[in-house]
Amino acid sequence: MISQFIGNVFGPVEPAQLFVVAGKTIAGASRLDINLKSGKSENAHIALHLSCRFYEDVIVRNSWTPSGWDGEEREQNLNEFTIPNPVVAGDNFKIYIFVGETQFHIAINDQPYCVYNYRMSNQLIRTIEVTRDILSVNQIDHRAAYPQPIPPIQQDLRTVTFSNDAPRRFSPGHVIVITGIPTGNPRGTFVLYFTEGATKRHTLHFNPRFEPNFVVIRNAMNENLSFGLEERYGNFPFHVDEQFKLAIGITDTGFKFAINGEFFARFGYRTDNPLPLMNGFKISTGNGMHLAITEVDHVITDTIDCDDIVTMSHPDNDID
């Protein structure tokens, strides 16, 4: 099944930040496109268009405005030891895009690839898009590298289904809207979790368990990394092979959840002031379940209690 990804980043995009995009293309893929854009619309500016053209064995770099495409770069500014297209159709890929003072610095599969001079302000970038012949997208990390690395531990975990690091600290009023489709074993499960700082402590452990339990468990870890009391109340809004839209509101006292246009639950913080320590989220799956994350939007609202999360989670509501 061909997948794709689009989402609004936790902006603004600034020098010394890093994007890490990882996934797998389909066998016989013709093209893989990664775009850093000013929004989700078709006429949004594209600050960086990174297009792996397998049929030409080249990676094209370009920018776009409503006036049209700028000049392509195909051979210019490549690392002297690189090949024109190190991404292999049908294989996993990992692309690093470092935001420098005057250029994007791009590495592919842990090797330097090229630089790309800015053609418009990075302040325009709001959206990242991964499209074309994609089998899966499992990493859309947006990190800060300097003067202080955020998250403090930056590692690419092969054991997670999806990773979404954040480049700055969370604050009340932040909403994360996640769109996904669970497939595979109907007796499977997935876990969405936030960790604190350099520790492995889960500030939130959000665990939908499908057949035969049909329950969503919420929990958190204490200082010795053991879990406390589970919270299980509420219905079960997830279904195999059906898309869901989950909005997670970060308030001053805890998390709020809305799913598919309905309020779901609250979960209070179990440690004091975890927001300055909290990293982005990760998702893992178990017992034969697969989960395709197709959209993640970071939204800063006008209210610290995230009053609009029900509307944001509605399947018919498109977040611009």
mmCIF file with all atom_site columns, all heavy atoms in Angstrom, residues 12-27:
data_model
loop_
_atom_site.group_PDB
_atom_site.id
_atom_site.type_symbol
_atom_site.label_atom_id
_atom_site.label_alt_id
_atom_site.label_comp_id
_atom_site.label_asym_id
_atom_site.label_entity_id
_atom_site.label_seq_id
_atom_site.pdbx_PDB_ins_code
_atom_site.Cartn_x
_atom_site.Cartn_y
_atom_site.Cartn_z
_atom_site.occupancy
_atom_site.B_iso_or_equiv
_atom_site.pdbx_formal_charge
_atom_site.auth_seq_id
_atom_site.auth_comp_id
_atom_site.auth_asym_id
_atom_site.auth_atom_id
_atom_site.pdbx_PDB_model_num
ATOM 1   N N   . PRO A 1 12 ? 9.098  28.278 14.778 1.00 0.00 ? 12 PRO A N   1
ATOM 2   C CA  . PRO A 1 12 ? 9.653  28.525 13.449 1.00 0.00 ? 12 PRO A CA  1
ATOM 3   C C   . PRO A 1 12 ? 10.891 27.679 13.162 1.00 0.00 ? 12 PRO A C   1
ATOM 4   O O   . PRO A 1 12 ? 11.539 27.179 14.075 1.00 0.00 ? 12 PRO A O   1
ATOM 5   C CB  . PRO A 1 12 ? 10.004 30.014 13.503 1.00 0.00 ? 12 PRO A CB  1
ATOM 6   C CG  . PRO A 1 12 ? 10.326 30.257 14.946 1.00 0.00 ? 12 PRO A CG  1
ATOM 7   C CD  . PRO A 1 12 ? 9.385  29.387 15.720 1.00 0.00 ? 12 PRO A CD  1
ATOM 8   N N   . VAL A 1 13 ? 11.193 27.562 11.860 1.00 0.00 ? 13 VAL A N   1
ATOM 9   C CA  . VAL A 1 13 ? 12.408 26.857 11.428 1.00 0.00 ? 13 VAL A CA  1
ATOM 10  C C   . VAL A 1 13 ? 13.565 27.845 11.482 1.00 0.00 ? 13 VAL A C   1
ATOM 11  O O   . VAL A 1 13 ? 13.509 28.922 10.883 1.00 0.00 ? 13 VAL A O   1
ATOM 12  C CB  . VAL A 1 13 ? 12.227 26.283 10.017 1.00 0.00 ? 13 VAL A CB  1
ATOM 13  C CG1 . VAL A 1 13 ? 13.527 25.693 9.503  1.00 0.00 ? 13 VAL A CG1 1
ATOM 14  C CG2 . VAL A 1 13 ? 11.123 25.228 10.020 1.00 0.00 ? 13 VAL A CG2 1
ATOM 15  N N   . GLU A 1 14 ? 14.622 27.470 12.206 1.00 0.00 ? 14 GLU A N   1
ATOM 16  C CA  . GLU A 1 14 ? 15.739 28.379 12.449 1.00 0.00 ? 14 GLU A CA  1
ATOM 17  C C   . GLU A 1 14 ? 17.063 27.667 12.208 1.00 0.00 ? 14 GLU A C   1
ATOM 18  O O   . GLU A 1 14 ? 17.132 26.435 12.231 1.00 0.00 ? 14 GLU A O   1
ATOM 19  C CB  . GLU A 1 14 ? 15.681 28.885 13.890 1.00 0.00 ? 14 GLU A CB  1
ATOM 20  C CG  . GLU A 1 14 ? 14.420 29.657 14.222 1.00 0.00 ? 14 GLU A CG  1
ATOM 21  C CD  . GLU A 1 14 ? 14.308 30.000 15.697 1.00 0.00 ? 14 GLU A CD  1
ATOM 22  O OE1 . GLU A 1 14 ? 14.801 29.202 16.526 1.00 0.00 ? 14 GLU A OE1 1
ATOM 23  O OE2 . GLU A 1 14 ? 13.734 31.062 16.010 1.00 0.00 ? 14 GLU A OE2 1
ATOM 24  N N   . PRO A 1 15 ? 18.150 28.447 11.986 1.00 0.00 ? 15 PRO A N   1
ATOM 25  C CA  . PRO A 1 15 ? 19.476 27.839 11.851 1.00 0.00 ? 15 PRO A CA  1
ATOM 26  C C   . PRO A 1 15 ? 19.822 26.987 13.064 1.00 0.00 ? 15 PRO A C   1
ATOM 27  O O   . PRO A 1 15 ? 19.389 27.269 14.187 1.00 0.00 ? 15 PRO A O   1
ATOM 28  C CB  . PRO A 1 15 ? 20.404 29.050 11.731 1.00 0.00 ? 15 PRO A CB  1
ATOM 29  C CG  . PRO A 1 15 ? 19.553 30.126 11.139 1.00 0.00 ? 15 PRO A CG  1
ATOM 30  C CD  . PRO A 1 15 ? 18.187 29.908 11.740 1.00 0.00 ? 15 PRO A CD  1
ATOM 31  N N   . ALA A 1 16 ? 20.584 25.934 12.807 1.00 0.00 ? 16 ALA A N   1
ATOM 32  C CA  . ALA A 1 16 ? 21.032 24.958 13.807 1.00 0.00 ? 16 ALA A CA  1
ATOM 33  C C   . ALA A 1 16 ? 19.939 23.951 14.160 1.00 0.00 ? 16 ALA A C   1
ATOM 34  O O   . ALA A 1 16 ? 20.064 23.221 15.134 1.00 0.00 ? 16 ALA A O   1
ATOM 35  C CB  . ALA A 1 16 ? 21.579 25.624 15.068 1.00 0.00 ? 16 ALA A CB  1
ATOM 36  N N   . GLN A 1 17 ? 18.888 23.896 13.351 1.00 0.00 ? 17 GLN A N   1
ATOM 37  C CA  . GLN A 1 17 ? 17.901 22.828 13.485 1.00 0.00 ? 17 GLN A CA  1
ATOM 38  C C   . GLN A 1 17 ? 18.148 21.752 12.429 1.00 0.00 ? 17 GLN A C   1
ATOM 39  O O   . GLN A 1 17 ? 18.829 21.999 11.429 1.00 0.00 ? 17 GLN A O   1
ATOM 40  C CB  . GLN A 1 17 ? 16.476 23.375 13.354 1.00 0.00 ? 17 GLN A CB  1
ATOM 41  C CG  . GLN A 1 17 ? 16.061 24.270 14.506 1.00 0.00 ? 17 GLN A CG  1
ATOM 42  C CD  . GLN A 1 17 ? 14.638 24.775 14.368 1.00 0.00 ? 17 GLN A CD  1
ATOM 43  O OE1 . GLN A 1 17 ? 13.977 24.576 13.352 1.00 0.00 ? 17 GLN A OE1 1
ATOM 44  N NE2 . GLN A 1 17 ? 14.151 25.451 15.409 1.00 0.00 ? 17 GLN A NE2 1
ATOM 45  N N   . LEU A 1 18 ? 17.581 20.589 12.679 1.00 0.00 ? 18 LEU A N   1
ATOM 46  C CA  . LEU A 1 18 ? 17.816 19.431 11.820 1.00 0.00 ? 18 LEU A CA  1
ATOM 47  C C   . LEU A 1 18 ? 16.510 18.682 11.605 1.00 0.00 ? 18 LEU A C   1
ATOM 48  O O   . LEU A 1 18 ? 15.760 18.441 12.549 1.00 0.00 ? 18 LEU A O   1
ATOM 49  C CB  . LEU A 1 18 ? 18.840 18.501 12.488 1.00 0.00 ? 18 LEU A CB  1
ATOM 50  C CG  . LEU A 1 18 ? 19.092 17.138 11.847 1.00 0.00 ? 18 LEU A CG  1
ATOM 51  C CD1 . LEU A 1 18 ? 19.840 17.308 10.518 1.00 0.00 ? 18 LEU A CD1 1
ATOM 52  C CD2 . LEU A 1 18 ? 19.899 16.247 12.789 1.00 0.00 ? 18 LEU A CD2 1
ATOM 53  N N   . PHE A 1 19 ? 16.242 18.326 10.353 1.00 0.00 ? 19 PHE A N   1
ATOM 54  C CA  . PHE A 1 19 ? 15.143 17.430 10.017 1.00 0.00 ? 19 PHE A CA  1
ATOM 55  C C   . PHE A 1 19 ? 15.726 16.059 9.685  1.00 0.00 ? 19 PHE A C   1
ATOM 56  O O   . PHE A 1 19 ? 16.724 15.959 8.948  1.00 0.00 ? 19 PHE A O   1
ATOM 57  C CB  . PHE A 1 19 ? 14.349 17.933 8.807  1.00 0.00 ? 19 PHE A CB  1
ATOM 58  C CG  . PHE A 1 19 ? 13.558 19.181 9.057  1.00 0.00 ? 19 PHE A CG  1
ATOM 59  C CD1 . PHE A 1 19 ? 14.087 20.426 8.746  1.00 0.00 ? 19 PHE A CD1 1
ATOM 60  C CD2 . PHE A 1 19 ? 12.288 19.112 9.600  1.00 0.00 ? 19 PHE A CD2 1
ATOM 61  C CE1 . PHE A 1 19 ? 13.353 21.577 8.971  1.00 0.00 ? 19 PHE A CE1 1
ATOM 62  C CE2 . PHE A 1 19 ? 11.549 20.255 9.832  1.00 0.00 ? 19 PHE A CE2 1
ATOM 63  C CZ  . PHE A 1 19 ? 12.080 21.496 9.513  1.00 0.00 ? 19 PHE A CZ  1
ATOM 64  N N   . VAL A 1 20 ? 15.101 15.017 10.209 1.00 0.00 ? 20 VAL A N   1
ATOM 65  C CA  . VAL A 1 20 ? 15.471 13.645 9.858  1.00 0.00 ? 20 VAL A CA  1
ATOM 66  C C   . VAL A 1 20 ? 14.224 12.962 9.300  1.00 0.00 ? 20 VAL A C   1
ATOM 67  O O   . VAL A 1 20 ? 13.207 12.857 9.985  1.00 0.00 ? 20 VAL A O   1
ATOM 68  C CB  . VAL A 1 20 ? 16.005 12.858 11.064 1.00 0.00 ? 20 VAL A CB  1
ATOM 69  C CG1 . VAL A 1 20 ? 16.498 11.476 10.606 1.00 0.00 ? 20 VAL A CG1 1
ATOM 70  C CG2 . VAL A 1 20 ? 17.115 13.612 11.768 1.00 0.00 ? 20 VAL A CG2 1
ATOM 71  N N   . VAL A 1 21 ? 14.301 12.529 8.056  1.00 0.00 ? 21 VAL A N   1
ATOM 72  C CA  . VAL A 1 21 ? 13.175 11.899 7.372  1.00 0.00 ? 21 VAL A CA  1
ATOM 73  C C   . VAL A 1 21 ? 13.601 10.485 6.981  1.00 0.00 ? 21 VAL A C   1
ATOM 74  O O   . VAL A 1 21 ? 14.602 10.312 6.275  1.00 0.00 ? 21 VAL A O   1
ATOM 75  C CB  . VAL A 1 21 ? 12.766 12.687 6.111  1.00 0.00 ? 21 VAL A CB  1
ATOM 76  C CG1 . VAL A 1 21 ? 11.591 12.008 5.417  1.00 0.00 ? 21 VAL A CG1 1
ATOM 77  C CG2 . VAL A 1 21 ? 12.427 14.137 6.468  1.00 0.00 ? 21 VAL A CG2 1
ATOM 78  N N   . ALA A 1 22 ? 12.848 9.497  7.445  1.00 0.00 ? 22 ALA A N   1
ATOM 79  C CA  . ALA A 1 22 ? 13.212 8.113  7.142  1.00 0.00 ? 22 ALA A CA  1
ATOM 80  C C   . ALA A 1 22 ? 11.973 7.321  6.761  1.00 0.00 ? 22 ALA A C   1
ATOM 81  O O   . ALA A 1 22 ? 10.861 7.594  7.223  1.00 0.00 ? 22 ALA A O   1
ATOM 82  C CB  . ALA A 1 22 ? 13.907 7.460  8.332  1.00 0.00 ? 22 ALA A CB  1
ATOM 83  N N   . GLY A 1 23 ? 12.175 6.341  5.916  1.00 0.00 ? 23 GLY A N   1
ATOM 84  C CA  . GLY A 1 23 ? 11.083 5.477  5.487  1.00 0.00 ? 23 GLY A CA  1
ATOM 85  C C   . GLY A 1 23 ? 11.574 4.450  4.500  1.00 0.00 ? 23 GLY A C   1
ATOM 86  O O   . GLY A 1 23 ? 12.767 4.130  4.444  1.00 0.00 ? 23 GLY A O   1
ATOM 87  N N   . LYS A 1 24 ? 10.654 3.955  3.687  1.00 0.00 ? 24 LYS A N   1
ATOM 88  C CA  . LYS A 1 24 ? 10.991 2.950  2.686  1.00 0.00 ? 24 LYS A CA  1
ATOM 89  C C   . LYS A 1 24 ? 10.161 3.201  1.445  1.00 0.00 ? 24 LYS A C   1
ATOM 90  O O   . LYS A 1 24 ? 8.956  3.456  1.532  1.00 0.00 ? 24 LYS A O   1
ATOM 91  C CB  . LYS A 1 24 ? 10.717 1.543  3.226  1.00 0.00 ? 24 LYS A CB  1
ATOM 92  C CG  . LYS A 1 24 ? 11.162 0.414  2.304  1.00 0.00 ? 24 LYS A CG  1
ATOM 93  C CD  . LYS A 1 24 ? 10.954 -0.949 2.963  1.00 0.00 ? 24 LYS A CD  1
ATOM 94  C CE  . LYS A 1 24 ? 11.479 -2.074 2.088  1.00 0.00 ? 24 LYS A CE  1
ATOM 95  N NZ  . LYS A 1 24 ? 11.313 -3.389 2.738  1.00 0.00 ? 24 LYS A NZ  1
ATOM 96  N N   . THR A 1 25 ? 10.800 3.150  0.285  1.00 0.00 ? 25 THR A N   1
ATOM 97  C CA  . THR A 1 25 ? 10.077 3.295  -0.975 1.00 0.00 ? 25 THR A CA  1
ATOM 98  C C   . THR A 1 25 ? 9.566  1.928  -1.442 1.00 0.00 ? 25 THR A C   1
ATOM 99  O O   . THR A 1 25 ? 10.041 0.879  -0.999 1.00 0.00 ? 25 THR A O   1
ATOM 100 C CB  . THR A 1 25 ? 10.976 3.900  -2.061 1.00 0.00 ? 25 THR A CB  1
ATOM 101 O OG1 . THR A 1 25 ? 12.145 3.075  -2.224 1.00 0.00 ? 25 THR A OG1 1
ATOM 102 C CG2 . THR A 1 25 ? 11.418 5.312  -1.687 1.00 0.00 ? 25 THR A CG2 1
ATOM 103 N N   . ILE A 1 26 ? 8.605  1.950  -2.350 1.00 0.00 ? 26 ILE A N   1
ATOM 104 C CA  . ILE A 1 26 ? 8.072  0.700  -2.870 1.00 0.00 ? 26 ILE A CA  1
ATOM 105 C C   . ILE A 1 26 ? 9.072  0.077  -3.844 1.00 0.00 ? 26 ILE A C   1
ATOM 106 O O   . ILE A 1 26 ? 9.930  0.765  -4.401 1.00 0.00 ? 26 ILE A O   1
ATOM 107 C CB  . ILE A 1 26 ? 6.717  0.924  -3.568 1.00 0.00 ? 26 ILE A CB  1
ATOM 108 C CG1 . ILE A 1 26 ? 6.887  1.824  -4.806 1.00 0.00 ? 26 ILE A CG1 1
ATOM 109 C CG2 . ILE A 1 26 ? 5.695  1.514  -2.619 1.00 0.00 ? 26 ILE A CG2 1
ATOM 110 C CD1 . ILE A 1 26 ? 5.633  1.943  -5.651 1.00 0.00 ? 26 ILE A CD1 1
ATOM 111 N N   . ALA A 1 27 ? 8.972  -1.225 -4.032 1.00 0.00 ? 27 ALA A N   1
ATOM 112 C CA  . ALA A 1 27 ? 9.802  -1.898 -5.035 1.00 0.00 ? 27 ALA A CA  1
ATOM 113 C C   . ALA A 1 27 ? 9.475  -1.334 -6.413 1.00 0.00 ? 27 ALA A C   1
ATOM 114 O O   . ALA A 1 27 ? 8.304  -1.155 -6.761 1.00 0.00 ? 27 ALA A O   1
ATOM 115 C CB  . ALA A 1 27 ? 9.560  -3.401 -4.991 1.00 0.00 ? 27 ALA A CB  1
#
